[in-house]
Amino acid sequence: MSITSPGVLFVVSILAGFIGAMSGMGGGIVLIPALTLFGVNIKHAIAISIVSVIATSSGAASAYVRDGVTNLKVGMFLEMFTILGAIIGATVTLVSSDQPLFIAFGIVLLISWGTLFIRKHHLTNYLLPADRFSRWLELRGAYYDHAEHQEIEYQGRRAWLGGPCMFGAGFIAGLLGIGAGALKVLILDLAMGLPPKVSTTTSNLIIGVTALAGTSIYIAAGYVDPGLVAPVIVGVVAGAFVGTRLLKRLSNHAIRQFFLVVLLALGVEMILRGLGVIA
Amino acid sequence: MKPKHAPHTDPTPMPARAKLEREARQEHEMELLVGYLLLSGVLLSILLVVTGMAWEYVKTGSLHLNYLIAGMNFFQFLVGDLRAILTPSLIGPRAFVNLAIAALLFTPYIRVVSSMVFFAAAEKNWKYTAFTAFVGVVLTYSLFLR
C-alpha cells in the first residue's frame, strides 16, 4: 500500500466523485477499481469506499429531502430490507477470496451501466391503483416539479415486491462497498411505479443508512484504515459537489457519453482481473 | 395514450382536508429536520478531517496518518476518541480524523433515531415508529459488533 500517498488518493477520489456524479452512478463504482489499480487490496478498497458513500449520499440527500421530492416513508420502509442485505453482504465479503469480488464488481458495474440505457420514461400516470399492502404503508405522495411547472401526485405500488428486491440491492451494496443506486432506482421505478425524480432522490436517502450498516461490519473487522479514508472522504465529496453542479449546466451529452465509456472499460477490466487474464 | 396527469377536482370534505393539510405541514417539518441533520453531519465531518490532516501536515510535513481501527466496536472507538479529544496530552491529528469518521457514521444513525422520535411524538404514526425503530435497533446492534 506504499504507492497510495494521500495526495494521489485525494486526486483519484476527486475524479471518482466527479465521474460518479456526472454519470449518475455514484463515487464508489469508480473509486474501487481506481484504488485497486493503485495497489490497494480490494477488501480495503471496498471498506474505504463504503465510508465515503455515507458522505456523498448524505450530502446529496440533504438537499433533495428539503426540496420535498424524497418520499421519506418509502425510504424508511425499504431501509428495513437494505440494511439486513448490507450486513449479510459485508459479511460475505469478509470471508470471500479476492478473485470472486473482482468478478462480482465487474458484473454489477456492467449491469448498472446497462440500466442507464433501459431507464426511459415508461409511465405517464403515477396514480395507478395499488395493492392493499402498499396503501396500508401510506406510500402516496406529491411533489412540485419545477421543470414541468406542476404538482405531480403518485401512489407507490407493489411494496411486497420492492422490499425483497431492496434486500438484494442492500446485499450488493454491502458486498461491494458501493451505493448500488442504479439498482435501487430501478426497483423504485419499475417495481414500485414512482416518478423518476422521486426514485432517484429516495434511493439517495436509503443509500446512506445502507452504507452505514455495511461500514459497521468493516470497522468491526478492522478494514477501515483512517489514513486512507481521510483524504478519500474529502476528495469524493469535493468531486461529487463539482460534478453535480456541472451536470445541471451541461446540455450536451458528449461528456456524459465519455464517462459511460470509462465505466464500461472499468467493468471489463475488473472482470478480466478477477479471471486472472490480466494482473 | 393515457392523459398526462389529468386535472382533478378535490372532493375531500373540509375537516378531512384540515387533517391532510396538518399532515402535509408535519411532513415538511420532518423533511427540514432530516435535511439539515444530514447536511450538518457531513459538513462537520469534512471540517474535522481537514483539520486533522492540516494538523498532521504542520506537525510532520506529511498528510499520511498511518494507523488502523481494530479490535473495537464503534461505540468503544467513539468513547476512546472523545477521551482523546478531551485530554490535552492525547489530542492531535488522529483524534480529529477519528472524530470525523465517527461524525460521519453518526449522521445516518441520528437521522434514523430522530425520524423515529418524530413519527412517535409529532405524527403519532405507530406503524412508521415501529419501522424506524427496527432500523435503529439493527444499526445499533451492528455498531456493537466487533
Side-chain angles (χ1 to χ4, degrees), chain A residues 225-264:
Chain A
D225 181 338
L228 301 183
V229 166
V232 169
I233 296 177
V234 183
V236 170
V237 170
F241 185 83
V242 177
T244 318
R245 261 136 208 87
L246 218 57
L247 189 64
K248 281 185 188 163
R249 291 196 201 167
L250 284 178
S251 53
N252 92 43
H253 286 259
I255 299 175
R256 192 154 183 260
Q257 298 297 336
F258 169 74
F259 289 133
L260 290 178
V261 174
V262 173
L263 292 172
L264 180 66

Side-chain angles (χ1 to χ4, degrees), chain A residues 164-239:
Chain A
C165 287
M166 277 293 175
F167 174 86
F171 177 83
I172 304 265
L175 184 80
L176 301 175
I178 54 177
L183 298 176
K184 289 182 176 127
V185 167
L186 204 64
I187 296 166
L188 292 167
D189 251 19
L190 295 182
M192 299 185 64
L194 299 177
K197 281 181 189 166
V198 180
S199 298
T200 321
T201 56
T202 305
S203 151
N204 230 302
L205 181 81
I206 304 173
I207 286 173
V209 166
T210 312
L212 173 62
T215 300
S216 63
I217 304 293
Y218 290 110
I219 285 209
Y223 275 97
V224 175
D225 181 338
L228 301 183
V229 166
V232 169
I233 296 177
V234 183
V236 170
V237 170

Side-chain angles (χ1 to χ4, degrees), chain B residues 37-101:
Chain B
L37 267 176
L38 292 173
L39 184 66
S40 16
V42 174
L43 289 181
L44 175 69
S45 173
I46 299 283
L47 189 71
L48 289 166
V49 172
V50 172
T51 311
M53 288 182 76
W55 192 339
E56 179 74 12
Y57 187 74
V58 170
K59 210 170 83 176
T60 64
S62 154
L63 286 169
H64 193 200
L65 294 102
N66 196 5
Y67 65 103
L68 281 171
I69 306 168
M72 57 180 117
N73 69 42
F74 175 71
F75 292 104
Q76 291 167 321
F77 168 68
L78 183 68
V79 168
D81 187 54
L82 287 176
R83 202 173 287 152
I85 286 280
L86 297 172
T87 316
S89 61
L90 291 175
I91 192 164
R94 269 189 203 194
F96 275 92
V97 171
N98 283 347
L99 198 61
I101 295 174

Side-chain angles (χ1 to χ4, degrees), chain A residues 79 136-138 209 216 227, chain B residues 65 67 111 115 125 127-128 142:
Chain A
E79 276 163 14
W136 180 76
L137 288 171
E138 307 160 18
V209 166
S216 63
Chain B
L65 294 102
Y67 65 103
R111 193 268 282 171
S115 310
N125 186 332
K127 213 181 292 171
Y128 274 86
S142 72

Side-chain angles (χ1 to χ4, degrees), chain A residues 4 6-7 44 51-52 54-55 58-59 61-62 65-70 72-74 76-77 79-80 83-84 87 124-125 127-128 135-139 148 150-153 205-206 208-209 212-213 215-217 219-220 222-231 233-234 237, chain B residues 1-5 8 27-28 30-32 34-36 38-39 42 45-46 49-50 53 62-74 77 97-98 100-101 104-109 111-112 115 119 123 125 127-128 130-132 134-136 138-139 142-143 145-146:
Chain A
T4 51
H44 283 271
V51 179
S52 77
I54 302 179
S58 302
S62 74
V65 170
R66 280 179 286 140
D67 283 349
V69 187
T70 311
L72 293 176
K73 281 181 179 163
V74 170
M76 288 171 190
F77 167 69
E79 276 163 14
M80 293 195 287
I83 55 170
L84 295 179
I87 288 172
T124 46
N125 180 4
L127 281 169
L128 295 173
R135 276 181 282 139
W136 180 76
L137 288 171
E138 307 160 18
L139 302 183
E148 295 186 26
Q150 62 169 338
E151 177 124 325
I152 309 279
E153 265 190 278
L205 181 81
I206 304 173
V209 166
L212 173 62
T215 300
S216 63
I217 304 293
I219 285 209
Y223 275 97
V224 175
D225 181 338
L228 301 183
V229 166
I233 296 177
V234 183
V237 170
Chain B
M1 272 294 279
K2 285 176 185 131
K4 191 172 190 180
H5 196 69
H8 62 284
E27 205 171 300
H28 187 61
M30 180 143 166
E31 284 164 353
L32 289 180
V34 167
Y36 283 113
L38 292 173
L39 184 66
V42 174
S45 173
I46 299 283
V49 172
V50 172
M53 288 182 76
S62 154
L63 286 169
H64 193 200
L65 294 102
N66 196 5
Y67 65 103
L68 281 171
I69 306 168
M72 57 180 117
N73 69 42
F74 175 71
F77 168 68
V97 171
N98 283 347
I101 295 174
L104 191 59
L105 266 54
F106 250 126
T107 302
Y109 184 78
R111 193 268 282 171
V112 170
S115 310
F119 275 127
E123 294 199 5
N125 186 332
K127 213 181 292 171
Y128 274 86
F131 293 163
T132 41
F134 174 79
V135 174
V138 173
L139 287 179
S142 72
L143 289 172
L145 290 176
R146 55 168 290 180

